[in-house]
Amino acid sequence: MTAILFVTELQVWPPYGGERLHAYHVIDSLSRGCAVTVLAPQPAADCPLLGQVQDWRDLPDVATSFWQRVIDSRFVVMQRRSWYQALERLLKEVRPQVVWFNYGHWGHYANLARQYGARTIQQTHNAQSRLQRQGLSSRPLTRWHLYYGLRYPLETWHEHHLFRRFDRVLSVSEQDRRYHARFVNDGVSLYQPNYLNETWYQLERPLPRETGLVVMTGNFGAFQNQAGASWFIDKVWPMVRQAVPAARLELVGGTAAWWRKTVEQTPGVTCRGAVPSVAPYLRQATVGVAPLLHGSGTRFKVLEALACELPLVSTTLGAEGIALTHDEHALLADEAQPFAQAVIELLANSEQRQRLADNGLALLRQQYSFAINTARLQRIVEGVL
């Protein structure tokens, strides 16, 4: 059985947010056929993976506050001594054949893994430098511009120079794969999509769809979700409400209190905050929206809508990296008026909603299911060895 050391700075459980979902599913998949040891922040005690992996070691000194993240920006381009030592201890104990780095800036540690005979994989969640650059122009000046301003050049340097040290670099979209291939070549840069465990989105008791209910999910502390939701509420939602006065919009996901207070002043808009599972909200809504104007990688909110058989309206960027075809799996629109018209059309047309929901679920099962992508990951392990 192949020995894998999986390394990430993310706390993967509870799995709130796309980054945690991504890392959780990859650990789950790899541990189905390999002996996996994890070096990551300790998850909550009820994490199912704790009984599935060989061992779980806590990664120390992970920044949790905003200012600590700013200060720790230097570790994008230099080693953190405590992480180096923790990794070296496990390399000596486990003697893994593969070190699977997930998220973060691990190029400084690839050569250490190679010294112990391991092959190295860096799995990205997006083209991080491009995302930071978008953050600089996404909204009025805030303290986050200091963070983006520091991170953008450092992460660009890391991608351009340190990604070369890995045997494979995995991207969640073909767009990101091509971007990373510019620095590491096509043989090293591979496409491995985000995916879901469909069983997470099935309910014991079906919920009736609420007529006129529109839902958007996501972490609304992230600039791309906040900016997209603000655009939808300011530009699109008034047209929807004019055509369907009883329509309601629910924003489901964590958010700052000040922003929640602001958006809830808009008639028909409610913020639900962070929830244990988005499935009940997606199963109860009539239409889902992904009105994103910024972003990289792929959006779990789109995959989750497909898994919950929820017809979706998205911007082209919101659906980027996922094989959605307009009017087959979802409706796509990039301007306010056509976006509003698509939402209004779906709210009124049950046959169209059902067709999109059926096609979207079929697409999810064909390309973004747990079983299919667990097999893909196994082939990547075999290939790197």
Side-chain angles (χ1 to χ4, degrees):
M1 184 178 287
T2 304
I4 295 179
L5 175 57
F6 185 96
V7 184
T8 183
E9 64 185 86
L10 297 172
Q11 186 180 45
V12 304
W13 186 268
Y16 296 154
E19 293 164 349
R20 294 185 178 194
L21 277 170
H22 170 105
Y24 180 98
H25 287 318
V26 173
I27 297 173
D28 191 0
S29 290
L30 291 175
S31 61
R32 301 294 177 107
C34 302
V36 176
T37 299
V38 180
L39 176 61
Q42 195 70 26
D46 61 343
C47 177
L49 295 177
L50 290 173
Q52 192 170 313
V53 300
Q54 297 289 305
D55 194 10
W56 196 299
R57 301 291 181 88
D58 186 48
L59 182 71
D61 301 325
V62 176
T64 55
S65 70
F66 171 80
W67 290 111
Q68 192 59 52
R69 291 170 69 184
V70 171
I71 294 169
D72 284 0
S73 293
R74 67 190 188 276
F75 294 118
V76 175
V77 294
M78 62 183 290
Q79 293 174 349
R80 188 192 299 260
R81 182 172 179 80
S82 61
W83 290 10
Y84 186 97
Q85 292 174 336
L87 178 59
E88 187 170 38
R89 281 195 297 271
L90 277 176
L91 287 167
K92 290 177 179 178
E93 291 179 34
V94 177
R95 292 290 176 174
Q97 293 154 277
V98 177
V99 179
W100 191 295
F101 295 101
N102 181 279
Y103 190 70
H105 312 95
W106 299 104
H108 322 293
Y109 308 93
N111 287 342
L112 173 63
R114 288 187 172 193
Q115 289 175 21
Y116 287 87
R119 307 291 281 175
T120 57
I121 295 173
Q122 168 69 53
Q123 187 169 33
T124 67
H125 291 211
N126 48 55
Q128 196 65 26
S129 63
R130 297 171 67 186
L131 195 62
Q132 305 299 349
R133 184 176 61 187
Q134 293 173 26
L136 288 170
S137 59
S138 68
R139 55 185 176 181
L141 190 65
T142 68
R143 64 177 185 171
W144 282 99
H145 285 77
L146 169 63
Y147 179 80
Y148 300 139
L150 283 172
R151 288 282 180 140
Y152 170 58
L154 297 176
E155 291 181 351
T156 299
W157 188 88
H158 187 273
E159 290 169 346
H160 287 212
H161 299 285
L162 296 185
F163 272 22
R164 300 173 185 173
R165 298 183 177 181
F166 298 107
D167 295 299
R168 298 289 187 274
V169 174
L170 307 186
S171 303
V172 298
S173 72
E174 178 58 24
Q175 291 88 341
D176 287 355
R177 189 207 68 77
R178 290 196 299 267
Y179 173 76
H180 292 135
R182 294 163 53 192
F183 320 122
V184 301
N185 79 49
D186 282 324
V188 172
S189 182
L190 304 181
Y191 165 59
Q192 166 56 48
N194 281 325
Y195 60 97
L196 292 178
N197 187 332
E198 190 184 332
T199 62
W200 286 23
Y201 301 91
Q202 297 169 356
L203 303 181
E204 290 184 7
R205 296 181 179 179
L207 291 173
R209 299 285 184 186
E210 180 183 324
T211 302
L213 178 57
V214 180
V215 68
M216 177 180 176
T217 60
N219 170 18
F220 295 98
F223 79 86
Q224 57 269 41
N225 289 324
Q226 192 178 108
S230 295
W231 173 79
F232 181 80
I233 292 168
D234 293 342
K235 305 296 184 182
V236 180
W237 189 239
M239 289 186 275
V240 175
R241 286 275 290 188
Q242 184 177 13
V244 188
R248 293 198 312 111
L249 171 65
E250 285 190 344
L251 304 176
V252 181
T255 185
W258 69 266
W259 190 77
R260 176 175 185 163
K261 184 177 180 180
T262 299
V263 299
E264 286 191 331
Q265 293 175 3
T266 303
V269 177
T270 304
C271 290
R272 291 296 183 185
V275 297
S277 169
V278 298
Y281 300 90
L282 295 174
R283 290 283 182 185
Q284 196 168 8
T286 300
V287 174
V289 293
L292 298 188
L293 310 175
H294 309 85
S296 178
T298 59
R299 264 55 67 185
F300 270 96
K301 59 174 59 61
V302 172
L303 298 179
E304 290 177 323
L306 301 183
C308 291
E309 302 170 77
L310 179 64
L312 184 72
V313 182
S314 175
T315 57
T316 304
L317 183 62
E320 185 179 78
I322 300 173
L324 296 180
T325 300
H326 174 65
D327 202 30
E328 181 180 351
H329 309 104
L331 298 183
L332 304 180
D334 292 321
E335 301 296 332
Q337 196 281 329
F339 201 105
Q341 188 56 46
V343 174
I344 295 165
E345 179 182 324
L346 282 183
L347 288 174
N349 191 329
S350 60
E351 291 184 3
Q352 186 181 27
R353 292 199 303 268
Q354 190 63 55
R355 177 174 58 82
L356 294 179
D358 291 345
N359 292 341
L361 182 61
L363 175 67
L364 179 87
R365 290 172 172 171
Q366 290 164 5
Q367 298 195 36
Y368 308 105
S369 70
F370 184 83
I372 286 173
N373 286 282
T374 295
R376 284 176 172 166
L377 293 180
Q378 184 59 46
R379 289 194 293 271
I380 289 172
V381 172
E382 292 169 356
V384 79
L385 291 175

